[in-house]
């Protein structure tokens, strides 16, 4: 019962002990309490109960009972760090037990061998135990033994053998009521999915196991260790560090297992190293090494030493001693059959290269390179990185880098969530940098451009997987929106946060994010490789594309146009980043009247930025339009502030490939336009009514009544209720038989006030004559209570132009929860990812909508980058806080240009020129950028 219903078993055992049982029964009760304390509580109490159970078994003169307790005691001793005593208890247990009991003792000793990292002994003991357990028809213990054998196979990299054992064990568990063991089986399947390279499945299974454990009320330290491993592989190292440190604190609080603490410290050290915090990695790894050594766990100790050496190298140390240490670790890991052995050989080779020890480097790198043809994706990438470092020619370097990045591409596309795809690219940063250096030396500007594009903004190369029609996810998003709206209302009314609402909001965020990370990728890979010739043909003779590549901290300008690519050296990236922060601070101040004196300072900073980012290339831009492709770390630069770009048609793109796709994206038929006005704007979104009046749009008043503008309007007719294909909803099956497309899928609360529109309130879309195109739809305005997220999404889906005036909030801590404030709460990036096709052009006339989080190798996560893979060819958005009132004339002038047939970049250039010549309006114009090519 202690593994089926742990807490109930504990209560029953304590009840039995209070009833003056016989020595035999008391031995069983003390053993149950000891198991509970060992696995879920205080190991010191566990040892006391188990020793009492052993003594009572001896008093009962039952050798079988004594052998069984000795096995449980042996596990507890090893977990408390007393390895020698624990193994001695097992020797006694094996000697005292016979037949079926001895098989159970052997299984538990096999488990201890696995804990100690002695996998050969573990396989031998479990091999002896399984036939006896099967012969005794002991379903529960046979399933446990199969699960253990599978886990050992995974540690040795034998994934197929592990899968077979997990499958057999799961079939046995289905015939039992062992809920804790069933949860453990789900956890084990998650580990197997991870080892086979299926990160989304691993996250899903581990989350399912966590839910099962939660119902049993038991701690999950081993699950935390495994989840942290998966998070690190997914590029979420900071989260892994937070989880590991939290588990260590919880384990210390209950006096838990010393072995688990050491494993958690190892995981925390690895996470800190991957998160770019080598000092924390050093501290955690050093303690882990000491604990593992004291516990006689050489396998784990060797892995901890590997992390310790990596952390020392990351702090800038490099010495012959470290080469020797890394080589020794590699040899020990190889002797253990550990999959991490190539990683250690690669580390030794890297350090030797840095010291100029080419012969030693070649020897270690050659060993690491053997892993490039087999194993999971990250192991193969390790091999290709080693091959690239040892290649004797630029051609060899580039071929190894290409093969390694192809492996990562295939792995990345198994991930459905755009966040995971973006973060996973960090694994390829070294290969991309090696290729760029080789291109710079031998290939000329064109080759450097190709490799700059090869690993830039790759998350935009394919649309993210659509969020599933998961009722729990949909209801969670609806609940999140409601709670977020209530929390915002409370802050607005009372000026103080409401802790209960904010806690619930954070819980719902975690739930939504967790479920989206479970999505598997739909595309096998991106076959559309970047073609320099195609780019140059599209640019023609007038347009210049400026791609900024960063090599070893310096900005290199790749100027494309007039059929050629030229390279110029500019300044240091670190200097440019600092200057960009100063500019952002200046723009924030200029958003408020009275800061006019700062305008010359901001303009001077713009001139310094130009020198750092463009250098001599600024004199070769010609007179035509310019497309700027910055690296992710420069995404906040207000490019229109640079003197040479101020009066130009200027657009920004995350990559040249992204610009090409936008350029070749056809606008949707019908030219449908949507104007949205959210609540709480200082200006009231004043441009929206004026635009509605200009276009003769269909509007809704706050009470939901239709208000018809006067230009070219007519009464609604039945035909007007027919929705365009782009916006048609496919509603979830229900009593009304309707269905709903991914664009507008929402879980809708039952009863009044739900988000679902009644059929009679659907808005008709009148059209007006157009001399060139026949009939053109009059724009729809959503404001007041009509500007609710489900309705807004439905109207945005497939629109030709959308203008959204709403409060924007950028979330640096969780960029996919960056939002626009609607009547019923935040419209988040996850919502936009549900669109079948995002608007062809979208104008976001609010603060911070062009802010992004820089993640992975060179990726951006934010609102704009969520739209670009979904069909949006052009966005106008803002990278800084702006003056709401000054935005209105800018937006009106922008739409005037669009009405005249200009592109977004052309219209924005003219709109800036039309603004009043004061500091507030100038800063407002500089803060907005046009992204894409529409």
């Amino acid at each position: 019962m202690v593994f089926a219903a742990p807490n109930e078993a504990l209560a029953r055992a304590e009840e039995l002990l209070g009833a003056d049982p016989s020595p035999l029964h008391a031995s069983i009760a003390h053993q149950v309490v000891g198991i509970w304390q060992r696995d879920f509580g205080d190991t010191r109490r566990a040892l006391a109960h188990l020793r009492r159970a052993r003594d009572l078994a001896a008093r009962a003169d039952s050798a079988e009972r004594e052998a069984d307790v000795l096995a449980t005691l042996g596990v507890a001793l090893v977990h408390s760090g007393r390895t020698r005593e624990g193994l001695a208890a097992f020797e006694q247990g094996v000697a005292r037990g016979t037949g079926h009991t001895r098989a159970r003792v052997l299984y538990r000793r096999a488990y201890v061998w696995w804990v100690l990292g002695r996998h050969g002994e573990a396989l031998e003991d479990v091999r002896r135990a399984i036939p006896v357990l099967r012969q005794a028809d002991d379903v529960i213990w046979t399933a446990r033994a199969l699960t253990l054998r599978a886990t050992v196979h995974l540690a040795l990299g034998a994934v197929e053998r592990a899968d077979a054992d997990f499958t057999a064990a799961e079939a046995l568990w289905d015939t039992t009521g062992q809920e804790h063991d069933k949860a453990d089986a789900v956890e084990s399947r998650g580990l197997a999915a991870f080892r086979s390279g299926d990160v989304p499945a691993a996250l899903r299974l581990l989350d399912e196991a966590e839910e099962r454990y939660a119902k049993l009320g038991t701690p999950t330290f081993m699950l935390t260790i495994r989840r942290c491993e998966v998070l690190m592989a997914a590029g979420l190292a900071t989260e892994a560090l937070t989880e590991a440190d939290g588990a260590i604190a919880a384990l210390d609080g209950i006096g838990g297992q010393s072995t688990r603490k050491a494993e958690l410290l190892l995981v925390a050290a690895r996470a800190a190293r991957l998160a770019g915090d080598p000092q924390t990695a050093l501290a955690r790894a050093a303690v882990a090494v000491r604990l593992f050594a004291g516990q006689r766990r050489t396998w784990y100790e060797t892995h901890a030493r590997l992390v310790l050496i990596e952390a020392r190298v990351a702090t800038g140390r490099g010495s012959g001693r470290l080469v020797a240490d890394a080589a020794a670790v590699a040899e020990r890991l190889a002797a253990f059959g550990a999959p991490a052995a190539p990683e250690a050989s690669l580390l030794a080779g890297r350090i030797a290269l840095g010291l100029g020890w080419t012969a030693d480097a070649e020897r270690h790198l050659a060993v690491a390179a053997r892993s490039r043809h087999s194993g999971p994706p990250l192991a193969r990438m390790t091999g290709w990185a080693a091959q690239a470092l040892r290649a004797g020619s630029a051609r060899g370097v580039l071929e190894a880098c290409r093969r390694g990045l192809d492996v990562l591409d295939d792995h990345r596309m198994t991930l459905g969530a755009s966040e995971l795809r973006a973060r996973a690219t960090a694994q390829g940063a070294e290969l991309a940098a090696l290729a760029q250096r080789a291109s710079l030396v031998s290939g000329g500007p064109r080759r450097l451009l190709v490799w700059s594009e090869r690993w830039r903004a790759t998350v935009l190369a394919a649309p993210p997987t659509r969020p599933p029609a998961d009722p729990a996810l949909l209801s969670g998003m609806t609940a999140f929106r409601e709670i977020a709206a209530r929390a915002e209302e409370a802050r607005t009314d009372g000026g103080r946060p409401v802790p209960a609402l904010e806690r619930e909001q954070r819980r719902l965020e975690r739930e939504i994010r967790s479920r989206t990370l479970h999505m598997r990728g739909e595309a096998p890979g991106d076959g559309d490789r970047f073609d320099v010739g195609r780019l140059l043909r599209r640019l023609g003779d007038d347009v210049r594309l400026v791609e900024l590549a960063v090599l070893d901290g310096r900005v290199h300008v790749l100027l494309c146009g007039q059929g050629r690519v030229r390279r110029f050296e500019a300044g240091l990236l670190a200097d440019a980043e600092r200057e960009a922060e100063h500019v952002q601070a200046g723009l924030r101040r200029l958003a408020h009247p009275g800061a006019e004196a700062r305008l010359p300072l901001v303009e001077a900073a713009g001139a310094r930025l130009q020198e750092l980012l463009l250098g001599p290339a600024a004199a070769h831009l010609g007179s035509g339009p310019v497309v700027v492709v910055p690296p992710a770390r420069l995404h906040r630069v207000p490019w229109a502030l640079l003197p040479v770009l101020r009066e130009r048609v200027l657009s920004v793109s995350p990559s040249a490939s992204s610009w090409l796709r936008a350029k070749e994206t056809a606008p949707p038929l019908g030219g449908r336009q949507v104007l949205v006005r959210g609540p709480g704007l200082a200006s009231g979104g004043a441009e929206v009514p004026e635009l509605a009046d200009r276009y003769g749009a269909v509007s809704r008043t706050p009470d939901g009544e239709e208000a018809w503008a006067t230009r070219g309007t007519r009464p609604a007719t039945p035909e007007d209720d027919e929705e365009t294909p782009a916006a048609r909803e496919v509603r979830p099956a229900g009593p009304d038989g309707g269905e709903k497309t991914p664009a507008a899928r929402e879980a809708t609360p039952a009863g009044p006030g739900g988000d679902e529109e009644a059929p009679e309130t659907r808005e008709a879309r009148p059209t007006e004559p157009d001399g060139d195109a026949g009939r053109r739809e009059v724009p729809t305005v959503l404001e007041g209570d009509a500007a609710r997220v489900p309705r807004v999404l439905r109207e945005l889906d497939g629109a030709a132009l959308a203008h959204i005036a709403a409060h924007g909030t950028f979330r640096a801590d969780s960029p996919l929860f960056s939002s626009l404030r609607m009547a019923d709460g935040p419209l988040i990036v996850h919502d936009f990812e549900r669109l079948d096709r995002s608007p062809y052009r979208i104008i976001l006339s609010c603060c911070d909508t062009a802010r992004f989080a820089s993640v992975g190798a060179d990726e951006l996560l934010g609102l704009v980058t969520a739209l670009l893979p979904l069909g949006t060819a052009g966005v106008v958005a803002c990278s800084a806080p702006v003056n709401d009132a000054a935005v209105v004339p800018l937006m009106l002038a922008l739409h005037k240009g669009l009405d005249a047939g200009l592109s977004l970049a052309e219209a924005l250039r003219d709109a800036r020129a039309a603004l009043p010549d004061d500091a507030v309006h100038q800063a407002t114009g500089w803060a907005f950028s046009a992204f894409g090519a529409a």
Side-chain angles (χ1 to χ4, degrees), residues 442-515:
S442 66
R446 282 197 179 214
R447 181 176 285 178
L448 180 56
L449 176 62
V450 168
W451 279 100
S452 177
E453 281 292 301
R454 178 66 179 82
W455 210 242
R456 179 191 291 264
T458 58
V459 73
L460 306 183
T465 302
R466 305 292 178 187
D470 175 359
L473 173 61
L474 298 174
S475 63
M477 291 180 73
T478 301
F480 162 76
R481 190 154 43 249
E482 179 182 345
I483 292 296
R486 287 169 56 193
E488 177 64 26
E489 183 180 356
R491 284 190 292 267
T492 302
D493 291 346
R496 297 196 315 179
V498 181
L501 289 176
E502 293 185 346
R503 281 195 300 271
E504 179 64 7
Q505 181 177 336
R506 287 193 296 271
R507 185 193 69 79
L508 289 166
E509 284 184 13
R510 288 193 299 270
E511 181 180 309
I512 292 166
R513 185 165 179 266
S514 174
R515 290 185 177 275

Side-chain angles (χ1 to χ4, degrees), residues 634-658:
L634 294 175
H635 69 276
R636 295 203 68 192
V637 171
W639 296 97
L641 178 61
L642 275 57
V644 74
L645 300 177
R646 280 184 199 170
E647 297 180 2
R648 288 179 182 270
V649 175
L650 170 67
S651 58
V652 181
S653 182
S655 69
S657 301
S658 178

Side-chain angles (χ1 to χ4, degrees), residues 497-703:
V498 181
L501 289 176
E502 293 185 346
R503 281 195 300 271
E504 179 64 7
Q505 181 177 336
R506 287 193 296 271
R507 185 193 69 79
L508 289 166
E509 284 184 13
R510 288 193 299 270
E511 181 180 309
I512 292 166
R513 185 165 179 266
S514 174
R515 290 185 177 275
T516 57
L517 296 183
H518 297 169
M519 296 186 300
R520 281 190 58 80
E522 297 171 348
D526 179 26
D528 184 19
R529 294 296 188 194
F530 175 69
D531 181 348
V532 177
R534 178 173 150 224
L535 172 68
L536 293 174
R537 288 191 296 274
R538 276 289 179 183
L539 291 172
D541 291 334
D542 294 330
V543 182
R544 300 288 188 276
L545 184 141
V546 178
E547 178 147 332
L548 305 183
V550 179
L551 280 79
D552 299 320
R554 182 166 292 280
V555 178
H556 294 255
V557 183
L558 297 172
L559 181 59
C560 310
Q562 291 184 312
R564 59 179 177 156
V565 181
R566 290 178 285 173
R567 183 181 68 86
F568 302 87
E569 279 196 21
L572 296 176
L573 176 65
D575 293 342
E577 287 183 293
R578 282 193 294 271
E579 202 64 61
E581 285 303 315
H582 294 154
V583 165
Q584 284 292 329
L587 290 179
R588 282 195 294 273
R589 292 187 180 95
L590 288 174
H592 306 284
E596 292 82 359
R598 290 195 169 270
L599 183 61
L601 299 176
V602 172
E603 291 181 310
R608 290 193 295 274
L609 266 179
Q610 176 174 302
E611 183 61 29
L612 289 167
L613 295 176
L614 299 181
H620 300 272
L621 295 179
S623 58
V626 173
V627 181
V628 177
V629 179
R633 289 167 62 181
L634 294 175
H635 69 276
R636 295 203 68 192
V637 171
W639 296 97
L641 178 61
L642 275 57
V644 74
L645 300 177
R646 280 184 199 170
E647 297 180 2
R648 288 179 182 270
V649 175
L650 170 67
S651 58
V652 181
S653 182
S655 69
S657 301
S658 178
W659 181 84
L660 267 174
R661 282 192 299 276
K663 190 72 174 175
E664 295 171 356
T665 297
L669 299 175
R672 188 164 55 85
Q673 299 180 350
V674 182
L675 307 175
V676 180
R677 180 160 61 154
L681 290 168
S683 70
E687 78 270 18
V688 172
E690 292 199 40
L691 292 172
D693 184 60
R694 174 189 295 172
Y695 291 133
V698 177
S699 180
R700 280 193 181 276
T701 61
D703 61 3

Side-chain angles (χ1 to χ4, degrees), residues 175-263:
T175 67
T176 75
Q178 296 294 114
E179 296 307 319
H180 193 278
D181 285 307
K182 287 180 181 179
D184 183 69
V186 174
E187 178 185 337
S188 298
R189 281 169 45 220
L191 179 62
F194 169 55
R195 294 284 188 247
S196 66
D198 192 344
V199 170
L203 288 170
R204 176 178 56 79
L205 289 164
L206 293 179
D207 284 348
E208 180 185 338
E210 186 173 30
E211 290 174 9
R212 289 172 177 251
Y213 288 130
K215 290 177 182 176
L216 297 171
T218 57
T220 55
F221 296 112
M222 192 68 225
L223 176 71
T224 298
I225 292 167
R226 290 170 171 172
R227 178 173 165 79
C228 287
E229 290 178 354
V230 180
L231 290 174
M232 285 187 280
L236 301 171
T238 302
E239 288 183 33
L241 176 59
T242 300
E243 287 199 22
D245 280 349
I248 291 168
L251 194 67
D252 286 343
I254 63 171
Q257 298 171 355
S258 172
T259 51
R260 290 288 178 259
K261 180 175 181 178
E263 292 166 33

Side-chain angles (χ1 to χ4, degrees), residues 294-543:
Q295 295 162 3
R296 298 171 178 259
R297 301 172 73 186
T298 310
W299 192 86
Y300 285 99
E301 180 191 347
T302 308
H303 282 79
R305 288 192 183 280
L306 172 59
V307 180
L308 192 62
I309 298 167
E310 289 173 330
R312 285 173 176 160
V313 172
T315 60
R317 305 178 195 177
S319 65
R321 174 65 182 273
L322 283 180
V323 175
D325 287 348
V329 165
E331 288 178 11
R332 285 199 292 272
L333 290 173
F336 293 142
E343 184 182 338
S345 292
L346 174 60
L347 178 62
R350 275 203 198 102
I351 304 170
L353 271 183
L355 296 171
W357 297 4
T358 53
D360 292 275
E362 166 59 25
R363 185 172 70 256
H364 298 307
L365 294 173
V367 173
R370 294 173 193 160
S371 69
R372 66 190 186 276
H373 294 304
S374 61
L378 298 184
R380 282 180 282 149
M381 282 191 58
T382 295
W384 284 116
Q387 184 66 13
L389 287 170
R390 67 191 288 255
S393 65
R395 181 176 180 179
V397 172
L398 294 176
E399 175 62 13
C401 292
R402 181 186 67 78
R403 298 284 294 275
L405 291 177
D406 283 348
V407 170
L408 188 51
D409 269 339
D410 291 340
H411 166 66
R412 194 169 46 82
M413 295 309 293
T414 68
L415 309 173
S418 55
E419 178 178 4
L420 289 189
R421 288 184 183 178
R423 294 186 185 277
T425 61
Q427 307 286 352
E430 181 185 22
L431 287 169
L434 286 171
Q436 285 181 301
R437 289 191 197 105
S439 301
L440 183 64
V441 170
S442 66
R446 282 197 179 214
R447 181 176 285 178
L448 180 56
L449 176 62
V450 168
W451 279 100
S452 177
E453 281 292 301
R454 178 66 179 82
W455 210 242
R456 179 191 291 264
T458 58
V459 73
L460 306 183
T465 302
R466 305 292 178 187
D470 175 359
L473 173 61
L474 298 174
S475 63
M477 291 180 73
T478 301
F480 162 76
R481 190 154 43 249
E482 179 182 345
I483 292 296
R486 287 169 56 193
E488 177 64 26
E489 183 180 356
R491 284 190 292 267
T492 302
D493 291 346
R496 297 196 315 179
V498 181
L501 289 176
E502 293 185 346
R503 281 195 300 271
E504 179 64 7
Q505 181 177 336
R506 287 193 296 271
R507 185 193 69 79
L508 289 166
E509 284 184 13
R510 288 193 299 270
E511 181 180 309
I512 292 166
R513 185 165 179 266
S514 174
R515 290 185 177 275
T516 57
L517 296 183
H518 297 169
M519 296 186 300
R520 281 190 58 80
E522 297 171 348
D526 179 26
D528 184 19
R529 294 296 188 194
F530 175 69
D531 181 348
V532 177
R534 178 173 150 224
L535 172 68
L536 293 174
R537 288 191 296 274
R538 276 289 179 183
L539 291 172
D541 291 334
D542 294 330
V543 182

Side-chain angles (χ1 to χ4, degrees), residues 3 44 67 115 136 150 172 180 322 346 453 472 487 500 595 602 615 811 825 867 902:
F3 292 108
R44 291 166 297 181
V115 169
L172 293 176
H180 193 278
L322 283 180
L346 174 60
E453 281 292 301
V602 172
R811 288 279 301 277
L867 295 166
L902 301 181

